[in-house]
Amino acid sequence: MPSKKKMEKGNISIHTENIFPIIKKWLYSEKEIFLRELVSNAVDAIHKLQHVNLIEGLQLSDEYAIDISVDKDAGTLIVRDNGIGMTADEIRKYINQIAFSSAEDFVEKFKDLEDKNQIIGHFGLGFYSSYMVAKKVEIRSLSYRKDARGAHWICDGSTSYEMEEIDKKDRGTEVILHLEDNEKEFLDPVRLREVLKRYCNFLPVLIRLAGDEVNDRNPLWTRTSGEVTEEEYREFYKKLYPLADEPLFWIHLNIDFPFNLKGILYFPRLTTEFDVTKSHIKLFCNQVFVTDNCPEMIPEFLSPLQGCLDAPDLPLNVSRSYLQNEPQVRKIKEVISSRMAAKVNELAKKDRKEFGGIWEDIHTFVKFGMMRDDKFFDKVKDQVIYRSTGDSEYVTLPEYLERARERHENKIFYTNDEAAQTTYLKLFKSQGLEALVLDTPIDSHFIQYLEMKNSEVRFERVDSDVTENLIEDDQTRKLVEKEGEESVEERIKGTFENGLHKEGLTIRVESLKDASVPGMILLSEQSRRFKEMTRMMGKDVGDLFKDHTLLVNSASPVVKNLLKMEEAGRRDEAGMLIEQIYDLAMLTHQAFDKERMESFLERSNRILEVMSQK
């Protein structure tokens, strides 16, 4: 008769406290990570055997794989690998001592942290995460070593264990979880596949669930960019984000020094449903999924980025607050920022028209990045494009300044509302002048930042003043009817001042090269900016138009006829025209209240009546 195999009994920990109930209760919301931990251990076991095989020349030719199966009748979940295996002594060392100490350290380190989501990935529990779902766990293992005996370890969630020698034919390790009655969801293959796809989808070892392969062993980021086609990049994006539109572009990271970092980051097409305040990056560690909530890894201005980062050197069993101050994370952010700058430059130089379409989605983030990161600013400043009202659809700042050098050197005209400022833009276009369209919320800040970076350049909104290029030469506009009499300019000014009694209004008369505009409102650039900034800070600045200028165009036929009306004694009609010119100019800047709009419409009708009687 064969001798009866001796059953060994012992305690895992010298401490009296049992950490298993703490693990069970404390990480309940993250209980599915147990499967990631067990599969990761199995991958490590296979990698160790592959290394030994190479060093010792064992000439093993097995197909390495991890098999996951369930026995619904027994209520068990089995994770099996054909890796290096363990002897009884190795189980005592790695399971009873090292793995348990690691789990103890993890619990001790984070047990007082109220928000458990602050822990990156919950790495560190390892094998003992099994007890989040299991009431008893068994290990059946056979080492690769010659003449090794099988070992069977059992623990019911207390600090004691049992171990015995067993007959086992196949090398490797089986972990058998006897699931708690309320954890039977993990006997469902659909649920298991969902967890495996989430956490283990890109592991480099074949994973089978009930005989079916479930993972992609060679994710795109493990290859170099030269080995990947454009179509493969798009297919990979679809695999990650099946419901998303095609991305605008992507960057491929493959860094070995001074740290290891691989990944593919995509800039998505932004829709109204896209939340730019959330993290969209999937973080991996040696192809093991860690988390999809890692805003610490990405520069703030690139928050929309999607894709994968594989950072094997990062300390992952740490809190988010620690990670925020981790030097390597800062370096990773710098690398991503630098690569993004290079991509922006590449796209801008390749095809300006095509880049214009992309720019509409990315410009806010690029501008924000330029204001937050001086290095990023220096790398992209000359390739940032602006929509122009001139012949060119998009221009860079250096191009604009070069074209304007002779007519208005170092002065940049812009519009922030093409519809409201159409009168001014029409004047510009008639004289071959162009303005930049800066009409998004970030642009008011960006303008001031650009002026700070280059003190020689200043931006002026098209309605802030009238450039000399729009005004006739002095000799042709300063008209005097008779020697010693008032100039036409002075008469017009006096007429409008008498006809308009508005507090803070200044009348300015110029002869514009375009006679079609009778009058326009001018607002001082610096005064308007100051009031707008003060208003954004929540302070009351009163009426934005308390101090403003009405520029009256002496070349306008309407203004000339108005003077004739005055001379003919038709002061009521002239007064109506003066009010109408002023209100039409104001309408491009502000909406009228009910009372003022009624007055404007009534006056418009009276003017039509007068005209119809002529």
Side-chain angles (χ1 to χ4, degrees):
M1 289 180 62
S3 59
K4 186 177 180 181
K5 296 182 174 67
K6 183 180 178 182
M7 175 70 74
E8 172 189 325
K9 296 185 178 182
N11 288 319
I12 298 173
S13 172
I14 60 172
H15 303 124
T16 56
E17 182 184 23
N18 184 358
I19 67 168
F20 297 136
I22 300 174
I23 292 173
K24 235 181 240 294
K25 179 180 178 181
W26 184 56
L27 285 179
Y28 179 78
S29 63
E30 298 285 338
K31 59 188 176 183
E32 64 186 27
I33 66 165
F34 82 89
L35 191 55
R36 177 196 67 189
E37 298 291 273
L38 295 181
V39 172
S40 295
N41 286 347
V43 171
D44 287 342
I46 289 171
H47 281 165
K48 286 176 181 175
L49 182 60
Q50 288 173 326
H51 180 70
V52 170
N53 186 30
L54 184 65
I55 299 299
E56 298 185 10
L58 301 179
Q59 298 183 336
L60 299 175
S61 58
D62 306 40
E63 178 190 44
Y64 297 108
I66 299 163
D67 284 284
I68 297 162
S69 57
V70 297
D71 184 332
K72 290 188 177 181
D73 294 335
T76 57
L77 168 65
I78 303 101
V79 179
R80 180 184 294 110
D81 69 68
N82 57 355
I84 199 165
M86 292 182 287
T87 63
D89 284 340
E90 287 169 333
I91 289 176
R92 293 187 194 97
K93 178 180 178 181
Y94 293 114
I95 301 299
N96 290 358
Q97 297 175 30
I98 295 175
F100 192 83
S101 294
S102 175
E104 274 191 314
D105 290 345
F106 182 89
V107 169
E108 183 62 31
K109 188 174 183 180
F110 296 119
K111 67 180 180 182
D112 295 327
L113 191 64
E114 291 184 11
D115 184 2
K116 304 305 183 290
N117 289 323
Q118 286 294 306
I119 307 169
I120 302 294
H122 302 295
F123 276 81
L125 282 173
F127 165 77
Y128 284 98
S129 62
S130 306
Y131 289 94
M132 288 192 285
V133 296
K135 56 190 174 186
K136 181 172 78 173
V137 179
E138 299 179 57
I139 297 175
R140 295 168 54 85
S141 192
L142 177 65
S143 171
Y144 81 99
R145 300 177 189 279
K146 188 177 181 182
D147 300 326
R149 303 276 185 171
H152 182 203
W153 178 94
I154 309 169
C155 177
D156 62 0
S158 66
T159 54
S160 62
Y161 73 93
E162 294 179 352
M163 187 159 60
E164 63 179 340
E165 183 182 309
I166 58 169
D167 292 325
K168 189 175 186 302
K169 295 181 181 180
D170 300 323
R171 180 199 68 240
T173 299
E174 295 176 14
V175 179
I176 305 164
L177 278 65
H178 297 261
L179 297 175
E180 297 275 11
D181 292 340
N182 61 343
E183 303 295 354
K184 294 301 171 67
E185 65 180 285
F186 295 108
L187 296 176
D188 181 359
V190 174
R191 176 71 171 117
L192 290 174
R193 180 177 291 272
E194 174 193 319
V195 176
L196 290 169
K197 281 291 184 184
R198 175 173 171 79
Y199 292 101
C200 308
N201 196 33
F202 298 114
L203 282 172
V205 174
L206 173 63
I207 301 172
R208 290 187 291 239
L209 174 62
D212 294 331
E213 182 174 351
V214 296
N215 63 318
D216 174 4
R217 285 172 277 170
N218 298 293
L220 228 55
W221 73 77
T222 61
R223 295 151 61 181
T224 64
S225 57
E227 299 172 326
V228 184
T229 66
E230 194 166 301
E231 186 57 34
E232 286 176 312
Y233 280 119
R234 298 185 191 280
E235 288 176 0
F236 187 63
Y237 182 75
K238 277 294 182 188
K239 185 182 292 185
L240 295 174
Y241 309 99
L243 302 179
D245 293 332
E246 283 204 350
L248 295 170
F249 58 87
W250 51 84
I251 54 177
H252 193 138
L253 302 169
N254 198 328
I255 298 165
D256 297 320
F257 182 83
F259 50 81
N260 290 313
L261 179 69
K262 289 180 170 60
I264 300 173
L265 301 179
Y266 296 86
F267 204 106
R269 290 187 184 277
L270 300 181
T271 63
T272 52
E273 291 80 23
F274 193 93
D275 189 347
V276 297
T277 65
K278 290 185 178 179
S279 170
H280 302 276
I281 299 295
K282 299 177 188 293
L283 180 64
F284 292 80
C285 178
N286 287 318
Q287 296 175 231
V288 180
F289 176 77
V290 178
T291 179
D292 54 9
N293 181 24
C294 53
E296 302 83 5
M297 303 292 294
I298 299 294
E300 184 182 9
F301 67 91
L302 294 176
S303 58
L305 286 180
Q306 296 178 308
C308 303
L309 283 178
D310 197 330
D313 297 339
L314 274 184
L316 293 173
N317 57 336
V318 296
S319 68
R320 293 191 181 281
S321 59
Y322 178 91
L323 198 61
Q324 287 169 355
N325 299 311
E326 169 64 29
Q328 192 179 126
V329 171
R330 290 199 298 271
K331 291 176 183 175
I332 288 173
K333 285 182 172 181
E334 289 174 6
V335 166
I336 293 172
S337 175
S338 178
R339 293 296 179 86
M340 179 57 67
K343 190 66 179 183
V344 168
N345 287 333
E346 175 194 330
L347 293 170
K349 292 175 181 177
K350 185 178 179 181
D351 187 326
R352 175 72 61 85
K353 187 174 181 180
E354 185 177 327
F355 182 54
I358 295 173
W359 183 249
E360 293 303 312
D361 277 302
I362 72 171
H363 77 93
T364 297
F365 305 97
V366 173
K367 290 170 182 174
F368 183 39
M370 292 171 72
M371 292 189 285
R372 293 297 299 269
D373 184 341
D374 284 342
K375 290 181 180 177
F376 185 75
F377 175 89
D378 290 335
K379 288 173 182 174
V380 303
K381 62 181 179 181
D382 290 338
Q383 296 304 326
V384 169
I385 58 174
Y386 305 82
R387 193 157 62 84
S388 168
T389 61
D391 295 334
S392 304
E393 191 172 353
Y394 287 98
V395 325
T396 66
L397 217 50
E399 289 168 352
Y400 179 91
L401 289 168
E402 177 60 28
R403 291 210 290 255
R405 188 157 52 89
E406 292 185 4
R407 304 185 74 180
H408 50 91
E409 186 173 9
N410 288 333
K411 185 186 290 187
I412 300 163
F413 291 104
Y414 71 96
T415 172
N416 66 347
D417 189 333
E418 290 180 272
Q421 292 152 13
T422 184
T423 300
Y424 306 88
L425 295 176
K426 181 184 174 186
L427 282 172
F428 269 65
K429 189 171 184 179
S430 70
Q431 300 305 315
L433 297 173
E434 62 181 321
L436 302 182
V437 180
L438 295 166
D439 58 357
T440 60
I442 198 172
D443 285 328
S444 59
H445 305 285
F446 190 57
I447 285 168
Q448 295 184 63
Y449 184 79
L450 291 176
E451 289 176 330
M452 182 194 75
K453 296 294 284 186
N454 186 351
S455 59
E456 293 182 355
V457 170
R458 70 182 188 278
F459 285 75
E460 287 191 11
R461 204 166 77 178
V462 290
D463 60 353
S464 66
D465 200 353
V466 176
T467 171
E468 61 186 23
N469 297 286
L470 301 177
I471 301 172
E472 294 286 5
D473 295 336
D474 288 350
Q475 287 76 13
T476 60
R477 68 184 179 90
K478 290 197 176 294
L479 304 175
V480 180
E481 291 183 342
K482 291 182 182 179
E483 191 173 346
E485 291 187 0
E486 280 187 312
S487 68
V488 173
E489 227 177 35
E490 291 169 341
R491 288 171 56 204
I492 293 172
K493 183 176 181 181
T495 300
F496 273 80
E497 285 176 342
N498 292 330
L500 295 170
H501 300 285
K502 309 286 184 183
E503 185 181 354
L505 173 64
T506 300
I507 304 297
R508 173 181 166 189
V509 181
E510 299 284 0
S511 177
L512 301 181
K513 292 179 179 178
D514 187 337
S516 64
V517 179
M520 53 204 300
I521 298 297
L522 302 179
L523 288 171
S524 163
E525 179 76 18
Q526 298 308 319
S527 175
R528 177 183 52 77
R529 284 196 206 179
F530 176 75
K531 289 181 178 179
E532 287 176 347
M533 182 177 66
T534 305
R535 183 176 289 171
M536 287 177 64
M537 294 168 62
K539 297 181 180 179
D540 183 17
V541 295
D543 186 0
L544 187 63
F545 295 90
K546 182 179 179 183
D547 297 305
H548 61 291
T549 298
L550 172 65
L551 185 143
V552 182
N553 182 8
S554 61
S556 165
V558 176
V559 175
K560 291 176 180 178
N561 287 333
L562 189 150
L563 286 182
K564 292 178 181 177
M565 288 180 186
E566 281 277 330
E567 291 170 0
R570 294 157 57 193
R571 296 188 183 279
D572 288 346
E573 294 177 19
M576 282 196 302
L577 270 184
I578 290 170
E579 291 280 356
Q580 196 74 354
I581 289 170
Y582 177 74
D583 277 357
L584 284 170
M586 284 298 294
L587 270 174
T588 64
H589 288 275
Q590 61 177 191
F592 290 171
D593 59 24
K594 180 175 179 291
E595 183 179 338
R596 187 168 178 183
M597 181 55 75
E598 286 176 352
S599 175
F600 173 75
L601 292 175
E602 182 183 345
R603 187 189 322 116
S604 299
N605 289 329
R606 277 167 38 215
I607 290 172
L608 290 174
E609 287 174 9
V610 171
M611 290 179 62
S612 66
Q613 293 170 5
K614 300 297 182 184

